[in-house]
Amino acid sequence: MQNDLELKIDELLSRMTLREKVGQLVQVSAPIDGAGKERLKNRVRNGSVGSVILAFSSTAGNDAQRDTEVEVYNELQRVAVEESRMGIPVIFGRDVIHGHRTVMPIPLASAGSFNPELVEECYTCVAKEAANDGVQWAFSPMVDVCHDPRWGRIIEGPGEDPYLASVMSRAIVKGFQGEDYSQKDRIAACVKHYLGYGASEGGRDYHRTELSDYSLYNLILPPFRAAVDAGVATVMSSFNDINGQPVTSSKKYLTDILRGYLGFNGFVVSDWAALANLRRQGVAETEAECAAMALRAGLDMDMVDDYYFNHLAALVNSGEVPEALVDNAVRNVLRVKLSKGLFENPYTRKGEYDRGQHLRKAYELAAESMVLLKNDNHILPLAKTAKIALAGPLKQERRALLGSWVLDGKEEETQHFYEALQNALGGCEGTVICNTDDLADDAAEKVFAQSDVIVLALGESHLVSGERHSLADIALTEHQVSLARRAHNTGKPVIGVVFCGRPLALQIAEPYLDAILCAWHCGSETAAVAADLLLGDLVPSGKTAITFLKTTGHIPLYYNATSGALANNGYYGQHPEDCYLDIPAQPMYPFGYGLSYTRFTCSPIHCEKTDMTWQELKAGACFRLSVTLCNTGAYDGKETVQLYIRDKVASVMRPIRELKAFQKVFLSAGDHCRIDFSVGYDQLGFYRENGEYVVEPGAFEIYIGDNCLTDNCLSIQINP
Ligand code: BGC
């Protein structure tokens, strides 16, 4: 089968002219008017276009984009298939980041669901909707592990942990592609941004990164490896440089590591007009140089800047670039087009899908993604008899709740929080009192006075996160803190519902809030889910996929750090000594943290055999560990039991904790269950600087509990 595919590629390639080959490596943006459509048809007709991106500006995540136009794409495809000499179909791609018409939670939130099966199901729905609108290829998943919440694009990624990121990366690729992405309703995925984009200095978008190979292999690369292992069709290279080497022109990253080391065999597309950036980045002078450098590095398709289109043929003809390199890139593109089944099914035939089912999935995922951060005196859930005062800048926001990077979700189909709370209380004695005229909440006290509990809809707009939307300060705004203070001064219980795209620094507001629900920007069902969680129709089970900091000055602070040289490194506040003189070292909320309305207890770790030889481990033996989880509270609910390791002595410093496994389980109130984990060779090692995976004998600690700071610990030993 694989051979047939390669034979077909050879056959096509043998009949193509150089101009047609280059055409396959060119991606252009979708036409916006009649004249543009005709121009594009001509280009497609003479074989100069391999792909069309269904976006119209470089920052599609923030600028309103046009709706998809299936008839236009089908007509372009007809020209490609019927009127171009080779008849090779184009492939249509779009930024389908966390939803299509139905918007799922931002990836930073859904990673915290710790529920990869549900994430996969949701992206299966997304693929179906996108495919129905003519999208054959999604520029997602974005798996940039990130330690800096100032970076606006942190919303698009899976947070700070490479293992969780890998699990989510696989789930999203599978959700888009299924087992075979030629199937109807499946689309090709594109893992991005390869590589190191999330490590940009200071959270400044597109900025430089300094990354050791050690961090690269252990922290940044794992989710890309997971995507490649899951069969991801394409990879998008990133804008940034790593240690002074722009990724766009780096053979080390695009060929040696991606293809040689990870075994990727799809195609690499550049990021938007990234070839042109090589001049700005100061490694090329001319457009032709940019094109030559990118192709030599292993970049197969040029997104929109037409440098390949304008220069590659001349570069080959002058002997500066061997034609074999062009052939190779074309092979990669054709491999994906053939695997997608575009030659058999080039057109989109619109059909029906069950929108209700997709919204239900969006609801389920949002329900498992929101995180209950604080719940003093069990103030939540609220009684349905409560008189609720609602205030705060996000109380009537629709668009913000969808989040950044939403091209096809409709604001008008999204409830705002005030509506949702009213709906959730429908038919009950409770009421919501809200001053809908006063967006600034200047007269909030009047509303507070009529209530017995205050709910504040806090957070941030989608416009302060996403691409090119970084912040220098991640604290909740002063205006919102002051609102929280005024609410608190009434003496009534105050609940903060925080709709956000990044882990906002809540230190100043936190003392004024009796309960805090981090509702994120959770997509189409955000408001309904937040209301149902507040009123106890849902029980929270989301966890933090990223550390919540107390202040911006904490950056970077993440759980899987190595130990400091002295005890006062302030790691997560495990050491009592201060790290900074002016702020406590502890994060606001650690990684993997989230409360429930019920209570779970976890037994000490049981393990029959706590030592084995390295040889036994290498041969496949595992440490079999188990805990008993009890739901001792009054609600049915889900808990994520997390397993972390610590390699106590190694040839290089290893993190104090590293997540290696987790299980999310449902338990009825009063129920208990045993949870088994196997820890073996694949969990206990790390990558050396040359990318070699090793497990070193010695002592390890295993931690199993409900967040990264659990002290439920057991020692195991690998003997040499
Ligand atoms: C972004 C990518 C996106 C591309 C196409 C770029 O500016 O970095 O993530 O896929 O535009 O819209």
Side-chain angles (χ1 to χ4, degrees):
M1 187 65 193
Q2 200 55 29
N3 259 347
D4 289 353
L5 193 117
E6 297 303 321
L7 288 175
K8 174 78 182 157
I9 295 172
D10 287 343
E11 189 277 318
L12 286 167
L13 207 56
S14 69
R15 291 191 288 119
M16 290 167 83
T17 63
L18 178 57
R19 194 180 44 74
E20 285 164 338
K21 289 177 187 172
V22 170
Q24 287 306 308
L25 312 183
V26 172
Q27 184 179 64
V28 298
S29 61
I32 40 180
D33 55 20
K37 281 176 200 159
E38 283 316 306
R39 270 199 305 276
L40 184 51
K41 270 205 236 176
N42 284 334
R43 280 189 75 168
V44 170
R45 191 173 289 116
N46 59 48
S48 318
V49 175
S51 171
V52 178
I53 175 169
L54 308 178
F56 309 89
S57 61
S58 62
T59 48
N62 309 312
D63 316 332
Q65 298 292 310
R66 296 159 67 92
D67 285 343
T68 49
E69 298 176 294
V70 170
E71 319 73 54
V72 175
Y73 314 149
N74 278 343
E75 172 56 8
L76 282 170
Q77 193 69 300
R78 190 196 60 73
V79 173
V81 172
E82 293 180 11
E83 297 181 13
S84 76
R85 196 185 71 86
M86 287 299 299
I88 299 176
V90 295
I91 182 163
F92 295 95
R94 189 166 173 88
D95 287 295
V96 180
I97 306 300
H98 57 104
H100 189 69
R101 183 70 176 266
T102 305
V103 184
M104 304 297 166
I106 56 168
L108 181 60
S110 61
S113 72
F114 281 77
N115 189 339
E117 292 80 20
L118 181 56
V119 168
E120 182 178 333
E121 286 172 30
C122 285
Y123 279 82
T124 300
C125 302
V126 173
K128 193 176 254 192
E129 293 187 2
N132 195 52
D133 275 347
V135 181
Q136 297 160 336
W137 172 28
F139 303 123
S140 171
M142 187 280 220
V143 296
D144 298 321
V145 168
C146 179
H147 288 165
D148 195 332
R150 288 173 295 187
W151 192 44
R153 302 200 77 170
I154 200 164
I155 76 129
E156 284 172 69
E160 74 190 31
D161 179 71
Y163 174 73
L164 181 60
S166 303
V167 170
M168 291 303 161
S169 174
R170 190 177 307 116
I172 297 175
V173 170
K174 286 283 177 208
F176 279 128
Q177 298 192 167
E179 289 308 313
D180 168 5
Y181 61 91
S182 72
Q183 298 296 305
K184 187 175 178 308
D185 298 337
R186 295 296 184 174
I187 60 182
C190 178
V191 69
K192 69 186 189 185
H193 303 83
Y194 181 89
L195 195 66
Y197 186 31
S200 66
E201 225 173 48
R204 297 185 174 99
D205 212 355
Y206 317 128
H207 209 48
R208 63 191 301 274
T209 62
E210 283 288 334
L211 211 56
S212 67
D213 281 348
Y214 176 73
S215 298
L216 185 89
Y217 284 110
N218 287 289
L219 184 70
I220 304 293
L221 204 57
F224 290 95
R225 182 194 295 272
V228 171
D229 290 350
V232 72
T234 69
V235 168
M236 186 184 292
S237 60
S238 58
F239 287 123
N240 57 287
D241 70 272
I242 301 180
N243 310 336
Q245 229 186 90
V247 176
T248 310
S249 61
S250 166
K251 180 170 170 296
K252 169 178 172 180
Y253 299 115
L254 296 185
T255 299
D256 302 347
I257 295 183
L258 182 61
R259 295 196 187 269
Y261 178 74
L262 294 184
F264 173 66
N265 79 346
F267 73 81
V268 178
V269 63
S270 74
D271 205 337
W272 184 282
L275 272 67
N277 294 347
L278 292 175
R279 296 164 82 190
R280 195 171 298 118
Q281 287 168 310
V283 294
E285 269 183 27
T286 64
E287 292 186 9
E289 268 173 33
C290 298
M293 288 174 86
L295 188 77
R296 284 196 200 109
L299 193 144
D300 301 309
M301 185 179 278
D302 172 4
M303 184 188 282
V304 309
D305 52 11
D306 264 351
Y307 283 13
Y308 276 4
F309 178 68
N310 290 330
H311 302 287
L312 274 193
L315 284 164
V316 170
N317 289 331
S318 68
E320 271 181 74
V321 166
E323 187 162 356
L325 282 187
V326 173
D327 287 357
N328 209 22
V330 176
R331 277 176 198 285
N332 294 334
V333 171
L334 291 178
R335 191 173 300 118
V336 171
K337 288 189 174 183
L338 286 160
S339 305
K340 174 73 190 95
L342 289 180
F343 287 77
E344 295 80 24
N345 294 303
Y347 303 110
T348 298
R349 297 188 208 296
K350 277 191 86 84
E352 299 293 314
Y353 55 81
D354 183 351
R355 184 85 204 291
Q357 190 237 340
H358 295 185
L359 286 167
R360 281 193 294 283
K361 283 287 156 205
Y363 178 94
E364 272 179 50
L365 187 56
E368 297 206 18
S369 301
M370 293 186 188
V371 190
L372 183 62
L373 296 173
K374 178 177 181 184
N375 195 16
D376 279 1
N377 304 319
H378 303 286
I379 180 72
L380 290 178
L382 297 175
K384 290 194 177 170
T385 48
K387 266 200 245 153
I388 302 169
L390 176 64
L394 281 101
K395 62 183 188 273
Q396 284 168 281
E397 259 296 328
R398 297 179 199 279
R399 176 61 191 86
L401 307 196
L402 295 177
S404 181
W405 279 108
V406 169
L407 278 67
D408 298 277
K410 306 274 176 238
E411 176 177 348
E412 59 279 11
E413 292 177 359
T414 312
Q415 282 191 89
H416 60 59
F417 189 47
Y418 176 41
E419 281 168 349
L421 263 181
Q422 286 176 305
N423 290 340
L425 279 174
C428 303
E429 205 183 303
T431 49
V432 193
I433 311 142
C434 175
N435 183 353
T436 53
D437 302 332
D438 187 2
L439 290 178
D441 288 310
D442 286 340
E445 274 79 1
K446 278 195 206 139
V447 178
F448 296 162
Q450 302 164 50
S451 69
D452 37 50
V453 56
I454 299 169
V455 173
L456 300 180
L458 307 172
E460 61 181 1
S461 150
H462 65 295
L463 292 172
V464 295
S465 62
E467 186 171 357
R468 216 185 271 187
H469 285 58
S470 294
L471 288 181
D473 185 357
I474 60 160
L476 201 66
T477 61
E478 270 175 36
H479 162 75
Q480 297 188 58
V481 173
S482 127
L483 183 66
R485 191 183 304 113
R486 284 156 58 203
H488 174 76
N489 288 344
T490 63
K492 298 180 180 177
V494 186
I495 290 137
V497 181
V498 186
F499 300 98
C500 53
R502 57 165 63 74
L504 290 171
L506 300 171
Q507 183 187 21
I508 313 282
E510 189 267 350
Y512 306 127
L513 303 170
D514 299 279
I516 306 175
L517 176 70
C518 175
W520 299 113
H521 293 154
C522 266
S524 303
E525 295 294 313
T526 309
V529 169
D532 289 349
L533 278 166
L534 249 49
L535 294 168
D537 291 328
L538 290 169
V539 174
S541 69
K543 301 275 183 176
T544 51
I546 185 140
T547 301
F548 275 62
L549 311 178
K550 287 206 164 91
T551 80
T552 303
H554 263 163
I555 297 171
L557 180 61
Y558 48 92
Y559 91 94
N560 48 357
T562 49
S563 179
L566 295 178
N568 67 343
N569 73 338
Y571 170 72
Y572 255 42
Q574 283 196 332
H575 305 287
E577 295 91 333
D578 280 337
C579 171
Y580 298 109
L581 297 178
D582 53 347
I583 47 168
Q586 293 90 340
M588 194 80 220
Y589 305 106
F591 174 85
Y593 166 88
L595 304 173
S596 172
Y597 293 152
T598 196
R599 231 184 359 263
F600 293 100
T601 57
C602 183
S603 70
I605 305 168
H606 176 77
C607 181
E608 296 250 296
K609 188 168 166 354
T610 55
D611 66 324
M612 67 172 75
T613 64
W614 186 91
Q615 288 300 347
E616 288 171 319
L617 194 74
K618 181 77 171 86
C622 286
F623 293 95
R624 308 235 170 255
L625 305 138
S626 65
V627 289
T628 301
L629 184 75
C630 298
N631 180 347
T632 56
Y635 295 80
D636 302 344
K638 286 188 176 182
E639 174 64 309
T640 300
V641 180
Q642 302 155 41
L643 183 147
Y644 296 85
I645 68 158
R646 178 174 187 185
D647 185 349
K648 291 204 70 178
V649 179
S651 55
V652 287
M653 290 171 67
R654 302 293 305 133
I656 293 174
R657 302 272 166 107
E658 286 178 275
L659 182 69
K660 289 294 172 184
F662 60 80
Q663 286 185 44
K664 188 164 190 174
V665 290
F666 171 83
L667 276 183
S668 304
D671 221 347
H672 67 276
C673 72
R674 184 177 131 159
I675 298 178
D676 296 305
F677 289 104
S678 295
V679 171
Y681 193 82
D682 290 348
Q683 284 74 40
L684 293 169
F686 64 92
Y687 294 93
R688 292 222 169 100
E689 273 190 346
N690 60 1
E692 182 199 1
Y693 182 78
V694 287
V695 177
E696 295 182 346
F700 288 75
E701 280 168 353
I702 305 282
Y703 294 86
I704 301 182
D706 63 347
N707 69 61
C708 73
L709 289 182
T710 176
D711 52 12
N712 192 19
C713 178
L714 180 92
S715 295
I716 58 168
Q717 177 78 27
I718 304 171
N719 298 316

